[in-house]
Amino acid sequence: MIALLIVIPAAVGIVAFFVESDRLRRILLVCAALAHTTLSLTTWLVPPAPALGGWLAEDALGRLIETLTSVLFLAASFYGVAYLREERSRPHSDFEEGFLFSNAREATFTGCLLLFLAAMTLVTVSQQLALLWVAVEGTTLASAPLIFFHRHHRSLEATWKYLLICSVGIAFALLGIFFLAVAASDPGSSTISLMVDDLRTNAHHLNVPWLKAAFVLLLVGYGTKMGLAPFHTWLPDAHSEAPSVASALLSGALLNCAFLGILRTQEICVAGGLADFSDKLLLVFGLLSMAVAAVFIAGQTDYKRMLAYSSVEHMGILAVGVGLGGAAVFGAVLHLINHSLTKAMLFLVAGNLLAVYRTKSTAGVAGALTALPVSGALWLLGLFAITGSPPFGPFLSEFTIVKAALDQGQTFVAVIFLVILAVILAAMAAPALTMAQGTPGEHVLPVPGRSFALSAVPVLLGIAVLMMGVYVPPVLTRALREAAHLLG
Amino acid sequence: MNQLINSLLVILVLTGFMLLGSSRLDSCIRTVAVQGVLLGILGVAMQADQWSIAGVMLPLSSAVVKGFVLPWLLFRAMREADTAREVEPFISYNLSILAGATVLGLSLWLGRQLQLANQPASSLLVPAAFFTSLVGMIVIVSRRKALTQVLGYLALENGVYAFGAAVALRLPILVELGILLDVFVGVFVMGIAIFHISREFDHIDTDKLTALTDRLR
């Protein structure tokens, strides 16, 4: 069953490259997404047997991220079909500079989207660290063409930075895996298991300096992909230039998968009694990411870049939560879900604003509540949700992390954390209000007959965000506890 | 066999210096191709004590991909981009070589510091691996063209691969193939991107890719 989770999107993705009919291809996309989500949800009822000799298996953490990825992909596929229908293949004029450009073939986009899902699923179910590496690099390669959907010089620049920076980062992670293998090798034997479970069981016998070095390399490598400062430089460019469907998946699903790579190593460090060392590094990089994000959000004039920097901030929050340990880990895993749902919704709404206002500049959007009542309201609520206002999900998880920090006597961390959140709230509230209120300018084209799915999908995600703040289902709480347990 | 391994490693280090010192793109591509072939032979030589078909086929296929297929792709990208054949570094070639020498010293020192449980076949292995990776990093940051950045990435990857060989790590076949596939597809996608960059900008100089910055208030 696990193999099916990867094979279905991969096979349909390859087929999609060769399907000529737009209609058929879009149906295939939605069907594959539906099948994938159904299978993912089934794994909660019937735990699947490990496949490939235990290499592919689901644990609590992997299942959580896998299901989240699958649900977001389903949402993105419905939105994406509506989006692709409106993006006809004729040349478009660029919003910012006015030149004409065309889009990549829709078949390429759809195919890569599905291969991207397959690669992400492989990341979440890999219990073998080297296989996980192969899958993470696979996500880079499958998603690069998504960023280059609009064929113009800015998206090309973003794609190039993404490809090169992430590939180089990931090369460091591979070195980290080799270091981990050295840490696990006994004199005289040449077979080394890179299974997470084996490494965790033998964690106390691992060579400590090598394990530490491996953690640093893996943190830098996967941290690049995850968008931790100072390795985040590709992220704002890629997220702002990709079509909004792809941005939503990059931010909501891909970053979690990269984080999972770090978490697997963290599990080994915790089991080996090295939590002190790895926690400190996570805290430092986490707080640094939050601070860097705050600086760039404060002066941001481009609303998609603002959302991208907000992703850097939230990746920082995840790292801080895991770095604090104890109850904060529970908060971090909960926050991972909340951030993904909220940010995916915001990117999809940003896509709607972009389609109507034809600008990414914050100053160029006014009266969104009048021009696009549903999207405007979601934009306003979403920005308040992502900055941690009650009663939405992110508030609950951020509160859990801060409370854990205070309970542990880490007042210093808690204070910095809260100050940065306050700065970001202030910085994002202003554009949220000016964009939503006022009267839309005359250049704003009312777009008749916009597809229903373009607002319905963000609304459903918004309901989920609200629900996560009010009521977390017991099934989920149990899974979160189990996932947090392995991380200290 | 150690004699052979040692000579391979010395040649590997020399290719690193060639990559830093040569001014022509095509000779840089050839140098990285030679590195790929060297690593393939190294991979086979490392297994001299226990031959197996998979153990020999994998390094050989890696040598074919890195030594012939990828260079072919890069030559094609170079022709299609119709770019000048100069490397155009940001720093002079002398300074590049000097940086290489410094990095070599650093790698030798690092190699001495690291304590390995399994003594590698040659004491040069770990330093040569680190050196190759670091040369890749120098090339990535100090060269202007997109194509040379890909070459730097390949050298970095070669260094990491050599380190894997140094610690006599036998990765499962599936993973080895996966890594090779990733490198292949990675360079393939980068080659396509270079083609588009050259068509869009009439050059492949990455220092002119500066449209995306934060215009802050």
Side-chain angles (χ1 to χ4, degrees), chain A residues 367-457:
Chain A
L369 280 172
T370 322
L372 284 167
V374 178
S375 293
L378 283 176
W379 181 249
L380 195 58
L381 293 177
L383 284 182
F384 278 105
I386 202 77
T387 47
S389 323
F392 300 102
F395 167 75
L396 188 64
S397 41
E398 284 171 8
F399 181 78
T400 314
I401 295 174
V402 174
K403 184 166 176 300
L406 289 172
D407 287 348
Q408 293 172 11
Q410 300 258 33
T411 324
F412 181 64
V413 174
V415 169
I416 298 185
F417 189 90
L418 287 173
V419 167
I420 295 176
L421 286 190
V423 169
I424 291 176
L425 171 64
M428 281 175 78
L433 290 171
T434 54
M435 285 169 75
Q437 294 171 341
T439 45
E442 276 159 21
H443 64 285
V444 177
L445 308 167
V447 183
R450 273 177 68 78
S451 172
F452 174 68
L454 291 175
S455 353
V457 171

Side-chain angles (χ1 to χ4, degrees), chain B:
Chain B
M1 199 50 89
N2 272 8
Q3 204 72 48
L4 173 66
I5 292 178
N6 271 332
S7 0
L8 286 174
L9 290 172
V10 171
I11 306 176
L12 185 65
V13 170
L14 288 178
T15 57
F17 279 108
M18 273 176 69
L19 190 58
L20 287 173
S22 47
S23 62
R24 292 178 60 82
L25 262 180
D26 42 0
S27 70
C28 282
I29 297 178
R30 274 189 205 105
T31 309
V32 174
V34 169
Q35 277 189 355
V37 175
L38 280 175
L39 285 175
I41 304 174
L42 187 70
V44 177
M46 293 288 292
Q47 318 207 350
D49 45 345
Q50 41 184 104
W51 298 97
S52 68
I53 293 183
V56 174
M57 285 313 287
L58 272 173
L60 285 186
S61 48
S62 158
V64 169
V65 171
K66 288 184 178 167
F68 301 98
V69 181
L70 294 185
W72 176 74
L73 272 176
L74 291 172
F75 271 119
R76 231 182 64 146
M78 186 176 86
R79 260 198 317 276
E80 278 177 12
D82 196 23
T83 173
R85 304 290 196 255
E86 296 293 315
V87 169
E88 297 182 61
F90 292 116
I91 59 174
S92 73
Y93 295 108
N94 289 338
L95 204 56
S96 297
I97 299 271
L98 201 64
T102 318
V103 159
L104 182 61
L106 186 74
S107 312
L108 286 168
W109 177 78
L110 261 179
R112 194 165 294 186
Q113 298 299 308
L114 295 172
Q115 300 292 327
L116 287 161
N118 287 322
Q119 231 9 269
S122 155
S123 58
L124 259 179
L125 252 171
V126 175
F130 281 145
F131 173 72
T132 310
S133 297
L134 289 169
V135 165
M137 289 302 290
I138 296 177
V139 169
I140 291 173
V141 296
S142 71
R143 302 291 192 261
R144 178 168 290 142
K145 287 207 164 87
L147 199 63
T148 32
Q149 292 186 335
V150 180
L151 290 173
Y153 164 69
L154 274 175
L156 173 66
E157 190 76 38
N158 283 343
V160 174
Y161 182 90
F163 183 82
V167 297
L169 180 64
R170 300 270 159 77
L171 286 173
I173 298 170
L174 190 64
V175 169
E176 289 264 15
L177 284 178
I179 292 175
L180 194 58
L181 183 72
D182 274 347
V183 173
F184 169 73
V185 179
V187 172
F188 183 73
V189 175
M190 286 178 190
I192 296 175
I194 289 176
F195 168 69
H196 283 287
I197 291 177
S198 73
R199 219 175 50 166
E200 184 76 45
F201 297 97
D202 283 331
H203 64 71
I204 55 170
D205 297 354
T206 47
D207 61 330
K208 293 190 187 115
L209 294 180
T210 50
L212 297 174
T213 49
D214 286 288
R215 281 176 286 273
L216 301 181
R217 272 188 292 263

Side-chain angles (χ1 to χ4, degrees), chain A residues 2-3 49-57 125-128 131 193-198, chain B residues 172 174:
Chain A
I2 291 190
L52 265 184
W55 284 22
L56 307 180
V125 298
S126 287
Q127 296 295 324
Q128 215 272 7
L131 185 65
S193 162
L194 282 172
M195 303 288 287
V196 180
D197 272 342
D198 293 345
Chain B
L174 190 64

Side-chain angles (χ1 to χ4, degrees), chain A residues 17-39:
Chain A
F17 277 105
F18 304 103
V19 174
E20 286 294 325
S21 146
D22 283 347
R23 229 180 107 77
L24 179 62
R25 197 178 331 98
R26 289 168 192 163
I27 293 171
L28 276 177
L29 172 65
V30 172
C31 286
L34 275 172
H36 195 267
T37 310
T38 318
L39 268 178

